[in-house]
């Protein structure tokens, strides 16, 4: 359980009272909205996932897009994680956090020439693999490698043409025929041929990533099986001789509290723990007789989501008709998942109410001038207190935050060893105002 309560009902994360975090007299004001992360728990999550490979050659390439905070990336790199990234900026963060160039995978459908050059120029041999997402991209990467006088290691990201209907939200399903991602199945043979014919490309990987937040291993394995069957068929034709790894992508789901909510009178199945996805993929890999290859995975969410919370202060209460609105100082600009994907995060008070006070429904909303700035209805005490925590906010929270409505980015607080190890400085709002005033001058 990532958050716990003490006997007085105060909420804790990583052994630290979250009330102490927001009331810390030495912290710059205001102390909310604030993301708080438990670095030790994230590191433990990475260790558990790596143990799921049972000693087989592997790489856990942490998908930085989930959370790019230096302390988070360093904590995961220290556990032997590599990095999966999608921009030159993420590449710079990964390298400076100690990720070895060999352990870096670069996905992305529209990498710029400058980003490709950066990946090729990194380290003695470039990064571990630039994932090619279209047949058309191959000539461009080859041209950049030739110009640099280098041989770039590449992978082909296959679009396995799987609909995944109902397995995840449509906005985060990436392996179907209408998705912009990956080389379409009929073109994979040609893509492999082009890479193998080039003196400036070394084809080291074949991968697929079909979506995020799968709540069972079935869809993940289905995609892995398509990938493995393509790899086996190509090997049968004498191709892929330089292949070092197969990459089954990220997408391991987490429990945002849904498993406790009954559907049609029945409780839902629990989301399998991250190592279960790896073990299921390993079974498929062995069955496909591809055991000589390393297995790469690209998880983001499952390593960090549950070990981060977004703390907010209650700024206004409003009762209108039947609705009790709880208005907080965190909005969709701080955590956009509910507005973007209809995601639901649990909202809980930092200080639990006395047990004799039954919770009542509150509609929790932020200050942003959009009706979608809405965290949903939550059972909270009749007097919810000064602060609430939005749970499971460690992934796709801060990285998707914006300054919409002239708001500041939230601060981030890092917990390690049962104490606050570091916190970021809030960018002064005056700087934002000055920058906007300069625009167009
Ligand atoms: C190519 C790729 N790999 C990995 C991930 C990480 O997915 P997750 O955070 O669900 O593990 C994503 C997420 O969108 C992705 O696009």
């Amino acid at each position: 359980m990532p958050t716990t309560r003490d006997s007085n009902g105060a909420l804790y994360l990583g052994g630290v009272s979250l009330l102490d975090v927001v009331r810390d007299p030495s912290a710059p004001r205001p102390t909310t909205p604030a993301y708080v992360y438990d670095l030790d728990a994230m590191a433990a999550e990475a260790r558990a996932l790596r143990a799921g490979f049972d000693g087989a050659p592997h790489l856990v390439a942490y998908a930085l897009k989930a959370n790019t905070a230096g302390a988070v990336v360093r904590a995961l790199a220290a556990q032997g994680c590599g990095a999966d990234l999608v921009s030159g900026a993420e590449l710079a963060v990964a390298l400076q956090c100690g990720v070895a160039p060999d352990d870096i995978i670069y996905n992305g459908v529209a990498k710029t020439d400058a980003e490709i050059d950066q990946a090729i120029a990194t380290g003695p041999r470039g990064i571990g693999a630039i994932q090619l997402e279209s047949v058309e991209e191959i000539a461009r990467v080859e041209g950049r490698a030739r110009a640099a006088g280098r041989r770039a290691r590449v992978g082909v990201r296959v679009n396995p043409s799987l609909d995944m209907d109902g397995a995840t939200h449509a906005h985060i399903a990436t392996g179907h025929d209408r998705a912009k991602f990956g080389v379409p199945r009929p073109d994979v043979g040609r893509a492999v041929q082009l890479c193998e014919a080039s003196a400036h490309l070394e084809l080291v990987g074949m991968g697929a990533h079909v979506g995020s937040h799968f709540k069972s291993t079935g869809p993940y394995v289905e995609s892995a099986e398509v990938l493995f069957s393509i790899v086996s068929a190509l090997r049968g034709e004498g191709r892929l001789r330089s292949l070092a790894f197969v990459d089954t992508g990220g997408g391991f789901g987490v429990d945002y509290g849904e498993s406790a909510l009954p559907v049609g009178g029945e409780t839902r199945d629990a989301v399998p723990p991250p190592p279960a996805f790896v073990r299921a993929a390993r079974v498929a890999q062995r069955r496909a007789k591809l055991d000589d290859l390393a297995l790469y995975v690209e998880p983001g969410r499952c390593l960090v989501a549950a070990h981060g919370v977004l703390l907010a202060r209650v700024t206004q209460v409003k009762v209108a008709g039947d609705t009790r609105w709880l208005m907080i100082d965190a909005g969709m600009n701080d955590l956009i998942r509910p507005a973007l994907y209809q995601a639901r995060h649990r909202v809980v008070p930092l200080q639990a109410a006395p047990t004799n006070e039954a919770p009542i429904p509150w509609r929790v909303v932020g200050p942003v001038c959009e009706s979608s700035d809405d965290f949903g209805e939550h059972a909270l005490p009749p007097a919810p207190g000064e602060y609430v925590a939005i749970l499971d906010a460690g992934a796709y929270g801060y990285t998707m935050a914006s300054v919409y409505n002239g708001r500041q980015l939230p601060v981030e607080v890092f917990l390690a060893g049962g104490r606050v190890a570091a916190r970021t400085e809030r960018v002064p709002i005056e700087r934002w105002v000055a920058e906007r005033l300069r625009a167009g001058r």
Side-chain angles (χ1 to χ4, degrees):
M1 189 67 182
T3 51
T4 51
R5 288 202 186 272
D6 71 5
S7 54
N8 297 319
L11 195 69
Y12 277 66
L13 181 73
V16 177
S17 158
L18 294 171
L19 272 171
D20 288 350
V21 170
V22 289
R23 290 188 176 148
D24 180 354
S26 68
R29 302 344 254 182
T31 54
T32 56
Y35 279 99
V36 186
Y37 308 119
D38 180 354
L39 297 175
D40 296 337
M42 290 176 179
E45 201 77 71
R47 279 196 299 278
L49 183 55
R50 293 201 61 202
F53 287 87
D54 298 323
H58 69 277
L59 178 71
V60 172
Y62 165 59
L64 257 76
K65 60 170 78 74
N67 190 324
T68 40
V72 169
V73 181
R74 279 190 292 273
L76 297 175
Q79 299 306 320
C81 289
D84 160 54
L85 31 92
V86 288
S87 69
E90 286 188 355
L91 173 54
V93 169
L95 291 169
Q96 288 179 51
C97 287
V99 181
D102 283 350
D103 295 340
I104 294 178
I105 303 296
Y106 192 154
N107 281 286
V109 292
K111 307 168 194 85
T112 64
D113 285 351
E115 288 173 326
I116 293 169
D117 291 349
Q118 189 186 346
I120 291 170
T122 292
R125 301 174 61 208
I127 62 166
I130 300 172
Q131 300 274 63
L132 302 165
E133 298 233 20
S134 60
V135 170
E136 292 82 350
E137 193 186 10
I138 297 172
R140 201 154 62 91
V141 174
E142 185 194 26
R144 307 307 302 182
R146 187 185 313 113
R150 283 198 152 195
R151 193 156 185 240
R153 287 178 285 176
V154 295
V156 169
R157 176 172 173 183
V158 175
N159 179 327
S161 183
L162 294 172
D163 256 338
M164 300 290 163
D165 271 346
T168 191
H169 192 278
H171 292 185
I172 46 177
T174 55
H176 53 78
D177 287 339
R178 296 161 314 284
K180 64 181 175 179
F181 302 98
V183 175
R185 253 164 108 162
D187 298 338
V188 171
R190 192 153 59 96
V192 166
Q193 223 165 3
L194 287 170
C195 292
E196 293 187 330
S198 167
H200 291 283
L201 302 178
E202 183 186 3
L203 182 56
V204 292
M206 293 288 290
H209 168 85
V210 286
S212 196
H213 194 29
F214 290 115
K215 298 181 206 68
S216 67
T217 57
Y220 192 76
V221 171
E222 196 184 339
S223 157
E225 282 173 344
V226 172
L227 173 70
F228 295 161
S229 71
I230 291 170
V231 171
S232 295
L234 286 165
R235 279 183 144 186
E237 295 166 16
R239 314 210 74 101
L240 300 178
R241 288 187 191 276
S242 54
L243 202 67
F245 67 85
V246 277
D247 177 349
T248 47
F252 312 162
V254 300
D255 185 353
Y256 284 97
E258 305 100 316
S259 66
L261 298 172
V263 250
E266 290 178 24
T267 49
R268 294 166 207 239
D269 290 339
V271 180
F277 286 86
V278 160
R279 292 206 166 96
R282 287 271 305 132
V283 169
Q285 185 189 6
R286 274 196 298 273
R287 212 180 299 129
K289 301 196 170 45
L290 296 178
D291 241 10
D292 58 307
L293 300 170
L295 179 63
Y296 283 20
V297 294
E298 303 170 359
R301 184 189 314 274
C302 72
L303 295 175
V304 295
H307 309 298
V309 294
L310 175 59
L311 303 184
R313 189 166 194 268
V314 176
T315 46
Q316 183 68 57
V317 165
K318 169 177 168 180
V319 180
D322 293 342
T323 308
R324 300 180 74 82
W325 301 93
L326 192 72
M327 295 164 172
I328 60 176
D329 67 354
M332 64 185 284
N333 71 297
D334 303 299
L335 178 64
I336 203 174
R337 296 189 66 256
L340 196 59
Y341 308 136
Q342 293 82 50
R344 186 176 165 86
H345 287 258
R346 286 168 286 187
V347 178
V348 299
L350 285 205
Q351 178 63 57
T355 44
N356 57 359
E357 277 184 20
I360 57 170
W362 286 93
R363 190 74 175 265
V364 181
V365 294
V368 173
C369 204
E370 299 282 343
S371 291
S372 53
D373 184 24
D374 188 337
F375 295 105
E377 193 172 273
H378 298 269
L380 290 161
E386 202 179 347
Y387 297 100
V388 295
I390 303 178
L391 303 188
D392 308 308
Y396 304 105
Y398 187 92
T399 49
M400 286 186 160
S402 76
V403 293
Y404 181 47
N405 272 200
R407 290 171 49 74
Q408 289 162 283
L409 289 175
V411 294
E412 293 177 295
V413 181
F414 302 91
L415 311 178
R419 62 178 191 90
V420 173
R423 57 168 87 224
T424 59
E425 286 284 321
R426 194 180 294 276
V427 177
I429 201 66
E430 294 75 18
R431 204 187 297 170
W432 184 87
V433 172
E435 184 267 323
R436 290 289 77 205
L437 289 173
R438 264 198 314 275
R441 269 246 168 97

